[in-house]
Amino acid sequence: MATNQLMIMPLLLLIFLLHIVSVASTYLQPGFYSNTCSEAEFIVRDVMKKALIREPRSVASVMRFQFHDCFVNGCDASMLLDDTPTMLGEKQALSNINSLRSFEVVDEVKEALEKACPGVVSCADIIIMASRDAVALTGGPYWEVRLGRLDSLTANQEDSNNIMPSPRANASALMDLFHKYNLSVKDLVALSGSHSIGQGRCFSIMFRLYNQSGTGKPDPAIDPEYRKVLNKLCPLDGDQEVTGNLDATPVVFDNQYFKDLVAGRGFLNSDQTLFTFPETRKFVKLYSRHQNEFFEAFVEGMLKMGDLQSGRPGEVRKNCRVVNARRTHLLLESPNMDNENIAII
């Protein structure tokens, strides 16, 4: 009998390892919820419509979630997790604190989905669908999204701090970041067009206005007339939480953002730098003249970014802010596995 138990143990271990692989690797496809929650995409869109009416800026804020989520260990909704006594979440990371907002919109979407299809639609997929709808509802393109992601079991503030770029970043640093994720210069410029809608804080541009590169002078790339507008909005001794429009049409998703860059009227340094660097300038010029080219490249970039996955185990959270409560769990450790490699069975 003891011999039989010894023979069974390797088999159980194999089954366990296969389970980890199945949990960690998800196949993304359009219509993923067609049989399990056929109304999922309609529900997300309906909540986003209401959010747009209530506060137009909120949908732009939600659209940014895809960027801040997918670049940090894949598209797994880790950035939605609140801090716990044993985990520092990503909401307080340098690029997110006092910047990311409208988490309550995702909460509303999740609540509506849980009523319709309990435990089916992941928070990671909500971010992808809501980002698409934020663009489409404000005049931009609509596209079919690939779904089937799992939600992470943890978050990592340090990773977010190390990965996400600063508003001070130049085009060279941004190109290096995107290259790490197999995203091209074209993808970088097109996806930066997400700043076609929404607002940014004075905090993010004070150095541009008053001390660019430690010179004690403003960024020479800023159009002089536009600089006057920004100086009035963001005085040196003013409230740095005041917000300004990221382009001249902040509630319409269009190619005005690129026209503004050509005119030296980019709000953020990381925006205007796209026109000052030769490698990115050609795409800025192209998209400023041809909105359809921008829309097509933007959709392509969003789909590519949405495919980023960490390969780590996950779940479908019931509440996007916290991992699900568990009665039992198994932890498998080896020299090549960290404490995040947990599979629930």
Side-chain angles (χ1 to χ4, degrees):
M1 184 172 180
T3 302
N4 289 338
Q5 288 178 335
L6 289 174
M7 294 176 62
I8 291 172
M9 287 302 292
L11 177 61
L12 291 176
L13 180 59
L14 176 61
I15 293 172
F16 179 68
L17 290 172
L18 289 173
H19 180 79
I20 289 179
V21 173
S22 68
V23 172
S25 302
T26 57
Y27 176 68
L28 305 180
Q29 59 182 319
F32 181 82
Y33 298 108
S34 57
N35 294 325
T36 55
C37 190
S38 60
E39 298 296 307
E41 295 192 50
F42 297 102
I43 291 172
V44 175
R45 190 173 179 85
D46 183 60
V47 175
M48 290 295 287
K49 281 182 181 178
K50 293 174 181 176
L52 177 63
I53 294 170
R54 186 170 63 239
E55 186 198 3
R57 185 187 172 195
S58 65
V59 297
S61 301
V62 172
M63 189 252 290
R64 311 245 194 283
F65 288 177
Q66 179 168 338
F67 292 77
H68 289 253
D69 185 39
C70 293
F71 275 116
V72 182
N73 300 319
C75 310
D76 60 4
S78 60
M79 53 83 65
L80 296 179
L81 289 172
D82 290 338
D83 290 354
T84 71
T86 58
M87 182 201 74
L88 287 177
E90 296 163 22
K91 290 180 178 178
Q92 300 300 307
L94 296 175
S95 62
N96 299 342
I97 188 171
N98 297 325
S99 179
L100 293 187
R101 57 192 297 279
S102 300
F103 293 100
E104 70 281 356
V105 176
V106 174
D107 293 338
E108 291 174 26
V109 173
K110 183 61 173 173
E111 182 179 358
L113 286 169
E114 286 298 303
K115 287 181 180 178
C117 320
V120 173
V121 182
S122 70
C123 301
D125 278 345
I126 289 174
I127 290 176
I128 298 297
M129 290 184 280
S131 297
R132 183 268 313 274
D133 292 339
V135 173
L137 290 171
T138 52
Y142 180 90
W143 63 95
E144 193 170 39
V145 291
R146 296 190 279 262
L147 304 172
R149 296 164 190 80
L150 294 173
D151 299 324
S152 70
L153 305 178
T154 188
N156 194 312
Q157 187 177 119
E158 183 178 0
D159 284 352
S160 183
N161 286 337
N162 291 335
I163 294 170
M164 295 304 298
S166 159
R168 302 188 181 204
N170 61 28
S172 179
L174 294 172
M175 286 188 289
D176 287 344
L177 172 64
F178 274 60
H179 179 71
K180 291 177 181 177
Y181 296 97
N182 294 318
L183 294 170
S184 67
V185 174
K186 177 184 176 182
D187 295 326
L188 163 62
V189 179
L191 290 173
S192 295
S194 64
H195 287 172
S196 170
I197 54 175
Q199 297 181 320
R201 295 181 297 151
C202 286
F203 172 82
S204 299
I205 63 169
M206 297 302 287
F207 71 98
R208 289 193 74 203
L209 296 177
Y210 304 106
N211 191 28
Q212 178 77 334
S213 301
T215 62
K217 298 178 181 180
D219 180 358
I222 305 177
D223 171 70
E225 292 303 312
Y226 183 55
R227 189 172 68 241
K228 292 178 182 178
V229 173
L230 295 180
N231 286 146
K232 185 176 180 180
L233 177 71
C234 309
L236 190 57
D237 58 351
D239 180 2
Q240 296 189 26
E241 295 304 311
V242 170
T243 58
N245 296 331
L246 291 173
D247 80 349
T249 56
V251 295
V252 179
F253 194 95
D254 55 18
N255 68 334
Q256 182 63 45
Y257 165 83
F258 296 103
K259 295 178 181 179
D260 287 348
L261 297 188
V262 172
R265 299 173 71 87
F267 187 80
L268 299 173
N269 188 76
S270 55
D271 290 332
Q272 193 60 52
T273 185
L274 298 176
F275 189 69
T276 59
F277 273 66
E279 297 94 328
T280 50
R281 184 187 300 129
K282 63 181 180 181
F283 292 109
V284 173
K285 288 183 175 180
L286 174 65
Y287 300 149
S288 72
R289 295 191 298 263
H290 303 287
Q291 182 166 277
N292 286 340
E293 294 271 1
F294 162 48
F295 281 3
E296 290 176 9
F298 184 82
V299 169
E300 180 183 347
M302 289 292 276
L303 286 170
K304 289 168 69 175
M305 180 171 57
D307 286 343
L308 297 175
Q309 297 185 73
S310 69
R312 296 174 179 175
E315 65 181 8
V316 175
R317 291 184 210 139
K318 297 178 181 179
N319 179 339
C320 292
R321 293 174 180 263
V322 296
V323 297
N324 295 337
R326 293 174 178 79
R327 293 180 180 177
T328 61
H329 71 272
L330 290 177
L331 175 63
L332 183 65
E333 293 183 284
S334 78
N336 296 319
M337 299 180 68
D338 57 32
N339 287 341
E340 292 172 353
N341 288 306
I342 301 171
I344 306 307
I345 59 176

